[in-house]
Amino acid sequence: GENVEQHPSTLSVQEGDSAVIKCTYSDSASNYFPWYKQELGKRPQLIIDIRSNVGEKKDQRIAVTLNKTAKHFSLHITETQPEDSAVYFCAASSPGGGNKLTFGTGTQLKVEL
Amino acid sequence: GAVVSQHPSRVICKSGTSVKIECRSLDFQATTMFWYRQFPKQSLMLMATSNEGSKATYEQGVEKDKFLINHASLTLSTLTVTSAHPEDSSFYICSASGLAGPDTQYFGPGTRLTVL
């Protein structure tokens, strides 16, 4: 089955700096890679996703890049703000796997003033 | 769009009792619903996948007789934790797909279960 690894587990940045979270996956058939933001005690919220036919996708301060050959994808947050502080999860799925999401272990992002 | 609700948000029960959790997609028809469990400071672990009118598919290690899943309609799935024990205490979250394709999942707000 799919295995998703995520790094770092914790990330502390100064407000206004950029943050990068990286994930690798094992199943070459995976074709959908969403990123979720989860605040303490709340639901995971989809913030951006990318499919395997695209190498990069951007939405305002958030971007995701995908390298299919190396089987890794990254989340980039620019101009970080205190409200970006949360746990971020990457995930991967494939149609052959019933579109089940396999999640990474999460990254606790802290944006300091 | 893509609103998923869950009820109850919190439940405390005695050991040995059963608890039912409802998951509803409010503004779209969910072809598939998923149930996850999340322990403190850990990732989401998929428990089972359910499609309307079909039996749920459980992940390895998840007891189907203990975690009963019913997907009665395209907008409602229920998870019943039977004979709950303290080790079943966790955050249970459902998700639904079908609005933006079969792969995009939208999550409910979760149910915090505490078994005394």
Side-chain angles (χ1 to χ4, degrees), chain A residues 32-43:
Chain A
Y32 176 65
F33 308 92
W35 286 89
Y36 288 89
K37 174 184 180 182
Q38 187 180 31
E39 297 176 9
L40 189 62
K42 302 280 183 69
R43 78 181 80 199

Side-chain angles (χ1 to χ4, degrees), chain B residues 39-97:
Chain B
F39 292 107
K41 297 191 177 183
Q42 293 190 21
S43 188
L44 289 86
M45 296 301 295
L46 180 65
M47 298 175 67
T49 303
S50 75
N51 294 288
E52 184 260 343
S54 304
K55 287 185 178 180
T57 302
Y58 290 81
E59 295 300 298
Q60 194 170 10
V62 178
E63 299 175 58
K64 61 182 178 182
D65 294 331
K66 180 171 182 62
F67 299 100
L68 301 178
I69 291 171
N70 184 279
H71 196 154
S73 74
L74 284 171
T75 59
L76 173 64
S77 177
T78 60
L79 167 68
T80 302
V81 183
T82 63
S83 187
H85 292 285
E87 56 265 31
D88 298 324
S89 298
S90 188
F91 193 48
Y92 291 86
I93 315 176
C94 70
S95 71
S97 66

Side-chain angles (χ1 to χ4, degrees), chain A residues 31-32 34 36 38 41-46 49 51 89 93 98-101 103-106, chain B residues 4 34 36 38 42-44 46 49 59 91 93 100 102-110 112:
Chain A
N31 66 348
Y32 176 65
Y36 288 89
Q38 187 180 31
K42 302 280 183 69
R43 78 181 80 199
Q45 287 188 302
L46 179 66
D49 57 12
R51 290 186 168 81
F89 291 100
S93 73
N99 294 307
K100 297 185 297 185
L101 287 175
F103 281 85
T105 48
Chain B
V4 178
F34 303 84
Y36 295 83
Q38 186 177 33
Q42 293 190 21
S43 188
L44 289 86
L46 180 65
T49 303
E59 295 300 298
F91 193 48
I93 315 176
D103 49 13
T104 304
Q105 294 183 29
Y106 298 96
F107 284 82
R112 174 74 59 192

Side-chain angles (χ1 to χ4, degrees), chain A residues 83-95:
Chain A
E83 50 265 38
D84 294 330
S85 297
V87 179
Y88 291 80
F89 291 100
C90 63
S93 73
S94 68

Side-chain angles (χ1 to χ4, degrees), chain A residues 21-36:
Chain A
I21 302 171
K22 299 181 179 181
C23 289
T24 60
Y25 61 99
S26 62
D27 187 353
S28 57
S30 290
N31 66 348
Y32 176 65
F33 308 92
W35 286 89
Y36 288 89

